[in-house]
Amino acid sequence: MKKGLIIAAAIIATAGMASAQTVVGTDHDLSSSGPGATTNVNRVCVFCHTPHQATAANGQDPLWNHTLSSQASYGVYSSTTLNATPVDIGGATVGTAAPSNLCMSCHDGSVAVHSLYNPPNEVGTITISSNGSNVNATGFMTGTPNVGIDLTDDHPVNFTYDTALAVADGGLVDPASSPAAAALLNGGMVQCGSCHDPHNDTNSPFLVMANTNSALCTTCHIK
Ligand code: HEC
Ligand code: HEC
Ligand code: HEC
Ligand code: HEC
């Protein structure tokens, strides 16, 4: 029994050590005890996910709860050397949103961060405090974290990255033979989530891996 308790305690301690890898306590924690903008809600996941009455079923939108932006067009990055064909994520409707639309629902600055499809039952109205963050008093993103409604000057997203693209470009890792590059794709596509993990700020700002020596970039680019 005692041994069992010690083992249980060890497991809890290990889980505690892993707690750096959680959304709780990061800038994506908008609960009453979050570090930046705070609300009168004591839950964390609810600002992005809900167990019930999420947006219409869509494999790309995991039980999504944050009001999507109605921005009709974000434009797409282009250059004379680009081989990929990014598709504009603007005009997404509930059920058709790309994974990158989920991020832009807060980060294009047009929807308040506490605007939800299915607000938590325990509070009547969600109230927000800026608390010195880049979220203003009415809940809109400002400053650097506000990516804005123009994606023509950002790393392209929402395009297929496959062997054909790697061959056409000549300077890209072939994801078919690189598990590391393939692991960064969502449905075979490059999205915001290829470089960012919204649940883990260990490699700030929410990067999927440390970018020392540009290791993130060289996972895909042979440069
Ligand atoms: C600030 C927004 C945000 C918060 C808060 C958040 N998530 Fe997520 N979550 C996302 C986004 C965005 C995706 C989709 C990522 C993608 O496709 O690139 C996602 C995906 C997921 C997925 C499916 C994909 C996977 O990684 O397994 C699960 C499960 C999940 N979240 C659970 C949670 C839980 C549990 C919490 C609270 C402890 C939470 N999330 C808090 C934004 C958030
Ligand atoms: C519910 C709203 C919401 C969603 C959805 C959301 N974020 Fe955020 N994000 C925030 C807030 C709030 C901050 C903190 C802004 C501040 O005060 O600096 C933040 C901060 C960040 C930062 C750090 C910014 C910095 O300057 O350090 C990154 C990077 C980021 N988010 C990326 C993403 C990505 C990528 C997704 C989708 C996978 C996403 N976010 C989804 C609300 C959101
Ligand atoms: C190819 C990788 C990559 C993709 C794709 C990507 N990001 Fe980033 N993002 C980064 C890196 C790296 C940084 C850190 C930049 C720095 O510190 O100068 C960053 C920084 C940010 C920041 C902090 C503010 C800033 O401008 O430095 C936000 C917010 C953000 N990204 C959101 C997003 C959103 C939303 C998407 C999808 C539309 C996205 N990112 C797609 C790599 C990426
Ligand atoms: C998940 C894989 C992936 C990651 C990670 C990634 N990229 Fe990319 N990036 C691509 C792909 C694929 C393209 C499209 C290349 C093309 O079509 O020519 C691209 C396009 C670009 C372009 C535009 C190329 C052009 O011809 O105009 C630049 C510059 C770039 N990436 C730099 C970076 C940097 C810097 C980083 C790290 C912060 C990074 N990328 C991380 C996959 C990635």
Side-chain angles (χ1 to χ4, degrees):
M1 183 64 195
K2 250 194 182 153
K3 201 172 182 187
L5 278 175
I6 291 164
I7 290 168
I11 290 168
I12 290 164
T14 315
M17 278 163 65
S19 69
Q21 296 169 26
T22 170
V23 64
V24 179
T26 69
D27 274 350
H28 278 164
D29 177 349
L30 296 170
S31 74
S32 46
S33 52
T38 53
T39 56
N40 56 338
V41 177
N42 64 8
R43 292 195 255 155
V44 178
C45 314
V46 71
F47 292 96
C48 293
H49 308 283
T50 177
H52 303 289
Q53 295 162 37
T55 54
N58 175 348
Q60 292 188 318
D61 305 352
L63 293 173
W64 196 248
N65 197 30
H66 189 264
T67 308
L68 292 169
S69 169
S70 57
Q71 180 64 29
S73 170
Y74 291 97
V76 292
Y77 170 87
S78 69
S79 82
T80 51
T81 48
L82 191 74
N83 303 98
T85 45
V87 177
D88 193 333
I89 61 166
T93 50
V94 166
T96 69
S100 296
N101 284 109
L102 308 181
C103 310
M104 294 301 273
S105 73
C106 286
H107 284 278
D108 81 357
S110 75
V111 185
V113 298
H114 62 308
S115 173
L116 309 181
Y117 290 115
N118 183 16
N121 295 331
E122 69 267 21
V123 296
T125 306
I126 305 176
T127 56
I128 187 133
S129 309
S130 170
N131 201 23
S133 71
N134 289 301
V135 173
N136 70 20
T138 44
F140 293 89
M141 199 83 86
T142 60
T144 15
N146 180 11
V147 175
I149 56 168
D150 181 5
L151 287 179
T152 64
D153 57 359
D154 299 274
H155 190 287
V157 293
N158 203 37
F159 65 92
T160 298
Y161 172 20
D162 57 10
T163 304
L165 180 65
V167 169
D169 183 85
L172 286 169
V173 170
D174 180 355
S177 51
S178 166
L184 300 182
L185 304 182
N186 186 328
M189 299 176 95
V190 174
Q191 303 285 356
C192 308
S194 298
C195 300
H196 295 283
D197 178 350
H199 310 106
N200 184 351
D201 201 19
T202 306
N203 298 303
S204 189
F206 294 100
L207 295 178
V208 292
M209 59 188 280
N211 200 20
T212 311
N213 295 328
S214 296
L216 171 62
C217 316
T218 56
T219 302
C220 299
H221 293 277
I222 306 168
K223 295 289 178 207

